[in-house]
Amino acid sequence: MGAYILKRLLLMIPTLLGIMLMTFVVIQFVPGGPIEKIISDIQGTGQDAAGRISGNTGTEAGGGNQAGAGSEVTGKYRGAAGLDPELIKQLEKQFGFDKPPATRFLLMVRDYATFNFGQSYFRGRPVVDLIIEKMPVSISLGLWLTLITYFVSIPLGIAKAVRDGSSFDIWTSAAIIVGYAIPGFIFAIMLVVVFAGGSYFSWFPLRGLTSDNFSSLSLVGKILDYAWHLVLPLTAMGISSFATMTLLTKNSFLDEIRKQYVTTARAKGLTERQVLYGHVFRNAMLLVISGFPGAFLSAFFAGSLLIETIFSLDGLGYLMFKAAIDRDYAIVFANLYIMTLFGLIVALISDLTYTWIDPRIDFESREV
């Protein structure tokens, strides 16, 4: 297993480089960019906009700010007519666009290898600090949503498989399908209106992960306050996530239950519980576990943007969205890099979990 892990870790390097290169090349052809955005601000608000961004001139060619130059068109910038050419040169130097694309990419690879993502183009802060600041929200939503989904869906799927065709199976299927059909953001708005002081009840807070007096609470009080703030966001995000995992678990168990080895185990006198959890569980759970990386990454990075907006939770999803709108490529590239790296690591952990559930699986004997 050690050799397999080493191979997977080494393969992460070309994978990261390939994704970074593809993204970097695409950015070169994206209309607009940070310089054109600043030019637009200057033309629209006067020279005050130039003063507003002058404080970031220290973030020149270093760090992660080498990550993109989508606005450069044969050395000209739309809307730049009448502006001082020295100002344009200053902006190019500030964002690192005064260097050839190949040089910028190589500098970005060098910096990202040490997790040096440079400065945000428009926020005047290190990108790492911004990501760390937003991380608790995304971790809370992604981790707890994934754990709750698995801890609810797997037992429910097993119960449905054992009671296949019963009234319990029918009404639970109807309930989870209806939940799956409801868009999460619409359900979130409904929860706010009903339970967060919208029109009916004020049982739950409307914004943030903690209360204003969080620091003065006891340990138990802090835990309860934290959980209290997560109830509505997790409910809104999880309403549609149970269906896929529950039905996947049910179908996996049904497929295994109908196999010959189960009949043989029953014929040997094993109890239904021994058959189900001693033989069927190990084989059926392999397919369920294979969906863990995708489920976790979806909840962690992408699935919470609208929920973060509705419940005023300033996490990575909202940070990435704002950075894309503002053409803050330093933040965009850093998030993509971290997302890719995290996805590769979680996929490796998923493979290792395969071997833990079923020791018969040997990845070392296979080609990576």
Side-chain angles (χ1 to χ4, degrees):
M1 182 55 66
Y4 173 76
I5 295 175
L6 180 60
K7 290 179 182 178
R8 288 292 297 270
L9 292 175
L10 292 176
L11 281 175
M12 290 182 185
I13 298 175
T15 303
L16 284 170
L17 288 175
I19 293 176
M20 290 170 63
L21 179 60
M22 291 174 58
T23 309
F24 184 87
V25 171
V26 169
I27 288 296
Q28 308 308 307
F29 301 99
V30 173
I35 294 181
E36 287 193 344
K37 183 181 187 309
I38 292 176
I39 291 173
S40 176
D41 290 344
I42 294 174
Q43 297 286 13
T45 63
Q47 293 302 317
D48 288 344
R52 179 174 59 84
I53 55 90
S54 62
N56 293 334
T57 55
T59 63
E60 295 178 359
N65 287 346
Q66 312 300 332
S71 61
E72 187 171 358
V73 183
T74 64
K76 303 289 184 180
Y77 298 95
R78 288 173 291 179
L83 292 180
D84 185 357
E86 290 300 321
L87 174 61
I88 302 300
K89 291 182 180 180
Q90 180 186 359
L91 292 174
E92 289 180 340
K93 186 176 181 181
Q94 173 183 332
F95 296 126
F97 296 162
D98 56 333
K99 297 180 176 62
T103 303
R104 293 200 302 271
F105 179 74
L106 292 176
L107 289 173
M108 182 181 71
V109 171
R110 181 201 67 185
D111 293 334
Y112 279 29
T114 58
F115 294 94
N116 176 17
F117 302 120
Q119 295 276 122
S120 168
Y121 288 171
F122 303 111
R123 297 172 185 251
R125 295 180 57 192
V127 174
V128 171
D129 291 349
L130 289 171
I131 293 176
I132 293 176
E133 180 182 295
K134 313 300 180 184
M135 191 72 75
V137 173
S138 296
I139 290 178
S140 297
L141 294 177
L143 179 62
W144 290 116
L145 176 63
T146 304
L147 292 177
I148 291 173
T149 299
Y150 270 74
F151 279 114
V152 172
S153 297
I154 291 177
L156 180 58
I158 295 174
K160 288 172 63 62
V162 174
R163 300 172 177 82
D164 183 41
S166 66
S167 57
F168 172 81
D169 180 39
I170 294 174
W171 72 259
T172 51
S173 294
I176 62 175
I177 289 174
V178 169
Y180 182 77
I182 301 175
F185 70 95
I186 292 180
F187 191 65
I189 294 174
M190 185 190 73
L191 290 176
V192 170
V193 171
V194 177
F195 298 109
S199 300
Y200 299 93
F201 307 102
S202 297
W203 293 349
F204 297 96
L206 182 58
R207 63 182 68 246
L209 283 180
T210 57
S211 301
D212 294 336
N213 64 335
F214 182 79
S215 59
S216 63
L217 298 175
S218 63
L219 177 60
V220 175
K222 289 180 178 179
I223 295 174
L224 294 176
D225 182 75
Y226 173 72
W228 183 46
H229 282 76
L230 282 176
V231 170
L232 294 188
L234 290 180
T235 302
M237 293 177 66
I239 188 67
S240 62
S241 62
F242 294 116
T244 301
M245 188 58 58
T246 300
L247 295 179
L248 177 62
T249 303
K250 175 191 173 182
N251 293 333
S252 298
F253 270 78
L254 282 178
D255 184 59
E256 292 296 324
I257 287 173
R258 293 164 181 166
K259 291 184 177 179
Q260 183 62 41
Y261 76 88
V262 176
T263 303
T264 303
R266 287 170 175 166
K268 290 181 178 179
L270 297 179
T271 64
E272 193 66 21
R273 185 178 182 84
Q274 290 175 323
V275 172
L276 188 62
Y277 292 100
H279 294 76
V280 175
F281 183 83
R282 183 176 61 183
N283 296 322
M285 285 303 296
L286 290 175
L287 183 60
V288 176
I289 288 176
S290 66
F292 178 82
F296 184 76
L297 290 178
S298 176
F300 189 77
F301 287 105
S304 60
L305 173 58
L306 292 174
I307 303 301
E308 287 178 10
T309 303
I310 293 172
F311 291 99
S312 300
L313 299 173
D314 193 6
L316 286 178
Y318 189 70
L319 176 66
M320 182 75 165
F321 172 74
K322 287 291 294 179
I325 295 298
D326 295 337
R327 299 295 193 269
D328 199 337
Y329 294 141
I331 295 178
V332 172
F333 269 75
N335 272 276
L336 289 174
Y337 179 83
I338 293 174
M339 187 187 305
T340 303
L341 179 61
F342 195 72
L344 293 172
I345 294 174
V346 171
L348 176 59
I349 295 174
S350 178
D351 287 348
L352 298 178
T353 309
Y354 275 130
T355 63
W356 174 65
I357 293 180
D358 191 347
R360 295 172 300 175
I361 296 178
D362 183 13
F363 286 109
E364 289 193 20
S365 62
R366 305 182 182 184
E367 293 293 333
V368 179

